[in-house]
Amino acid sequence: GAGVSQSPSNKVTEKGKDVELRCDPISGHTALYWYRQSLGQGLEFLIYFQGNSAPDKSGLPSDRFSAERTGGSVSTLTIQRTQQEDSAVYLCASSQRGASSYNEQFFGPGTRLTVL
Amino acid sequence: GNSVTQMEGPVTLSEEAFLTINCTYTATGYPSLFWYVQYPGEGLQLLLKATKADDKGSNKGFEATYRKETTSFHLEKGSVQVSDSAVYFCALSSRGFQKLVFGTGTRLLVSP
């Protein structure tokens, strides 16, 4: 596609359930990022992939959060046993390369997660 | 750790007014600095960037100058339009790392 896509656009779940959020980066982009945008915390980095490996997972808030990337393309962010404080907009971004020089990150529209 | 502080909003202006949104940062080394914009119902977009001290980033009439001595990267526009209404985020990226550290965002409302 022309840009970064994310699905679903909205997700409402009950506390304690697991959720999976999907990101399709721009074709050919080797770097992929997940961020979270919430009222209390602003925009926070979660995890960075270069290819299929994640050299920086420092932003994942707890071990309930995990992410993987397969085929150097699609990424899935999984939140287990969701809590109300997980409610936020989860943003995915991709860029052509990773560290050593800055490459513009292109953001998807986000997935709005609401935990009841 | 690295951090970005930007002025709280909302900033409310009339069309053709002068805009300044303040942004200061704390970082080790020499970060790259960015302004991102989020228009209503749309994703984040890069507005402008500067990668070293005294660089000026500019785009769509917006400008920001990387001031190392004051650790600032204030966003300015000489004459705002209604279509500039959006949320503006200041951000930095440390050299050698790609993750962006964002400020809290400033909502700009421009009325006709």
Side-chain angles (χ1 to χ4, degrees), chain A residues 33 35 58 98-99 101-102 105, chain B residues 34 36 38 46 96 98-100:
Chain A
Y33 315 79
Y35 294 88
S58 61
S101 63
Y102 183 78
Q105 294 182 26
Chain B
F34 312 90
Y36 275 79
Q38 190 171 36
L46 179 63
Q98 285 287 305
K99 67 182 179 186
L100 292 164

Side-chain angles (χ1 to χ4, degrees), chain A residues 21-25 32 34 49 67-69 73-77:
Chain A
L21 312 179
R22 176 187 169 106
C23 172
D24 281 274
L32 185 147
W34 284 97
F49 286 93
E68 64 175 11
R69 189 178 185 197
S73 181
V74 172
S75 177
T76 302
L77 177 69

Side-chain angles (χ1 to χ4, degrees), chain B:
Chain B
N2 296 343
S3 66
V4 175
T5 303
Q6 62 181 106
M7 60 191 291
E8 297 216 8
V11 173
T12 305
L13 296 173
S14 298
E15 203 165 26
E16 298 183 5
F18 184 86
L19 168 71
T20 299
I21 300 177
N22 290 337
C23 171
T24 57
Y25 67 90
T26 301
T28 53
Y30 303 91
S32 295
L33 302 174
F34 312 90
W35 278 99
Y36 275 79
V37 59
Q38 190 171 36
Y39 296 104
E42 299 185 18
L44 275 170
Q45 303 173 25
L46 179 63
L47 180 60
L48 55 83
K49 69 178 183 185
T51 57
K52 61 182 187 296
D54 300 324
D55 268 2
K56 177 184 285 187
S58 61
N59 186 24
K60 299 182 181 180
F62 291 89
E63 293 183 340
T65 302
Y66 189 144
R67 301 287 189 199
K68 187 165 177 61
E69 64 275 14
T70 54
T71 62
S72 65
F73 193 55
H74 304 320
L75 182 68
E76 297 182 334
K77 186 175 186 181
S79 176
V80 294
Q81 305 300 311
V82 172
S83 57
D84 294 327
S85 297
V87 181
Y88 292 81
F89 293 90
C90 186
L92 68 80
S93 174
S94 291
R95 188 176 301 280
F97 297 90
Q98 285 287 305
K99 67 182 179 186
L100 292 164
V101 175
F102 287 92
T104 51
T106 303
R107 182 175 300 276
L108 170 65
L109 301 170
V110 181
S111 56

